[in-house]
Amino acid sequence: MKSFKRYTLNFATALLLIIFVLPGTVRAQAVQRIAAIVNDELITEYDLESRIKLVIMSTGLSNTKEVRQRISGQILRTLVDERLQMQEAKRRNISVSKRDMRRAKEMIEKQNQLPKNALNRMLQENAVPLAAMEDRLRAGIAWSKLLARRLRPRITVGEDEIDETLQRIKSRQGQTEYRLAEILLAVDRPDEEENIRRTAQRIRKQVQDGANFAAIARQFSQSATAAVGGDLGWMHEAELSNELKTIVPNLKHGTVSPPVKTVTGYRLLLLLDRRKIGETTGKPVVIDLRQIFLPFPRAATRRDIENQTDLAKTITLSATGCRDFDMLAREVKSPRSPSLGRLSLRDLSPEIQLAVRDVPAGKTTDPIKLTDGVLVLMVCSREGGKGQIKLPERDAIADKLVQRRLSLMARRYLRDIRLSAVIDIRI
């Protein structure tokens, strides 16, 4: 298992990826109208407008009045949540140092392939306030530290859980799995549900119109996967909920599902890819085939057909290898050459493919009845086939299980904080 320290660093790093490389200016000094009050702390309309600029730049949304109005509600909710996270972190004596901020900015530059110290300049050039990005960064760092300190120690993953996961992966060879990305919009109170559903529909429309799904997920999604653009990785068909089992298989590559109601809110799913487990690493099946053909006489009677079929059955029981098979072909005077050579399975006719698909090397097929005779095939060698599933490391499985539980616990934690807070939305 990874140490607590190592996991904490990894989790904090993941949350930092929520931040995008975006523009900025100096915060205005003038008194601003109030957008919301969170436990006596103000969020001004200037704060909201600054974050809207950040989101538009990062997601590729059109910078129109209509788009700004559509996203302002969800962005304000995000600002409220960040303020609550910062307040809770302060209450728990968690702080964000200048070193934390410097390392976070360096990480953003590295992730976005920017030169060193280029972030501030890029923000200024794009006319987005620097404080908008720094506030987002500071909240992400503080919240990750808080979760690592208060929630992570409560989570344990047993060796039996890892063994069960590995066994489940092994048993899924050849079955379908999907690579999905998600945006999760949580519903904390019944009176929020309709508004959240409409927000999910608007986000779907924006993605269909060309907005960046991953960027929107980083900004709006309330799942731990927000840190990686909503990427859920590969999911087996059995892992899908009953609702998703009817939706995901019908998605086309690169398309987004309608909003799907879950116990925690609404989800949008993007299909990135699909595959058969283990087959992506496999080579085409190539087999060395031999044949014995027993023709029917002209105007064959039922008895003639039965005799040739019985002979074919005797051959399948008698043949013990390719050399023996060639001798049997001469003895029964098969009119066709015994050797068919090395053939790709996918190049054979569907009937022959079905007959030889599962026959191991050194064994014969059952008699194959054709219109003009009976055919027996011997598989002399077999190469290629399905690849072996590359099993994940045990630590990787443990980390994934931990993150799933931590994500659920974090959403509950924030929900409880929100429910106990005094929040006054002014716009």
Side-chain angles (χ1 to χ4, degrees), residues 282-349:
K283 297 180 180 179
V285 176
V286 176
I287 53 179
D288 185 0
L289 274 182
R290 300 286 194 276
Q291 67 172 345
I292 292 178
F293 179 67
L294 304 174
F296 297 143
R298 290 185 178 181
T301 65
R302 181 176 179 181
R303 183 63 179 173
D304 292 331
I305 295 173
E306 289 177 351
N307 287 340
Q308 294 294 68
T309 303
D310 289 341
L311 178 58
K313 291 178 180 178
T314 301
I315 292 171
T316 62
L317 295 173
S318 303
T320 58
C322 285
R323 182 176 297 180
D324 189 32
F325 195 79
D326 290 343
M327 293 176 59
L328 287 171
R330 290 193 292 271
E331 287 181 11
V332 299
K333 298 180 180 179
S334 174
R336 298 180 182 176
S337 171
S339 178
L340 291 172
R342 290 167 52 82
L343 303 170
S344 174
L345 181 63
R346 63 189 177 193
D347 292 337
L348 301 175
S349 67

Side-chain angles (χ1 to χ4, degrees), residues 165-324:
T165 301
L166 285 170
Q167 187 57 42
R168 188 165 59 247
I169 294 172
K170 291 177 183 177
S171 69
R172 291 172 175 174
Q173 181 95 354
Q175 298 178 17
T176 303
E177 62 180 357
Y178 305 91
R179 187 174 181 189
L180 300 168
E182 68 169 348
I183 294 174
L184 172 65
L185 303 179
V187 176
D188 296 319
R189 300 193 310 270
D191 61 326
E192 296 178 334
E193 181 170 338
E194 181 57 25
N195 183 50
I196 297 298
R197 185 186 65 81
R198 288 198 299 265
T199 299
Q201 290 176 329
R202 288 196 292 267
I203 290 176
R204 181 181 186 234
K205 178 65 165 56
Q206 290 158 3
V207 173
Q208 290 173 332
D209 290 342
N212 187 304
F213 186 95
I216 292 178
R218 290 188 181 100
Q219 183 63 42
F220 291 125
S221 182
Q222 291 162 290
S223 169
T225 59
V228 288
D231 192 349
L232 286 163
W234 289 100
M235 293 186 67
H236 184 262
E237 51 195 355
E239 295 177 303
L240 302 176
S241 65
N242 291 333
E243 296 85 355
L244 297 184
K245 285 179 180 176
T246 62
I247 295 174
V248 172
N250 296 317
L251 288 177
K252 295 181 180 179
H253 184 274
T255 59
V256 181
S257 73
V260 180
K261 192 175 187 309
T262 70
V263 293
T264 55
Y266 284 91
R267 294 174 83 191
L268 295 172
L269 291 169
L270 170 68
L271 180 63
L272 299 171
D273 202 357
R274 76 177 78 211
R275 69 183 181 189
K276 296 289 186 179
I277 300 176
E279 290 186 355
T280 55
T281 58
K283 297 180 180 179
V285 176
V286 176
I287 53 179
D288 185 0
L289 274 182
R290 300 286 194 276
Q291 67 172 345
I292 292 178
F293 179 67
L294 304 174
F296 297 143
R298 290 185 178 181
T301 65
R302 181 176 179 181
R303 183 63 179 173
D304 292 331
I305 295 173
E306 289 177 351
N307 287 340
Q308 294 294 68
T309 303
D310 289 341
L311 178 58
K313 291 178 180 178
T314 301
I315 292 171
T316 62
L317 295 173
S318 303
T320 58
C322 285
R323 182 176 297 180
D324 189 32

Side-chain angles (χ1 to χ4, degrees), residues 21 62-63 79 105 175 420:
V21 173
S62 300
N63 190 9
L79 290 172
K105 290 179 180 180
Q175 298 178 17
S420 63

Side-chain angles (χ1 to χ4, degrees), residues 23-24 109 115-127:
E109 290 173 342
K116 189 175 181 180
N117 300 320
L119 180 57
N120 288 1
R121 184 172 64 254
M122 185 173 184
L123 292 171
Q124 189 173 17
E125 289 173 354
N126 285 278

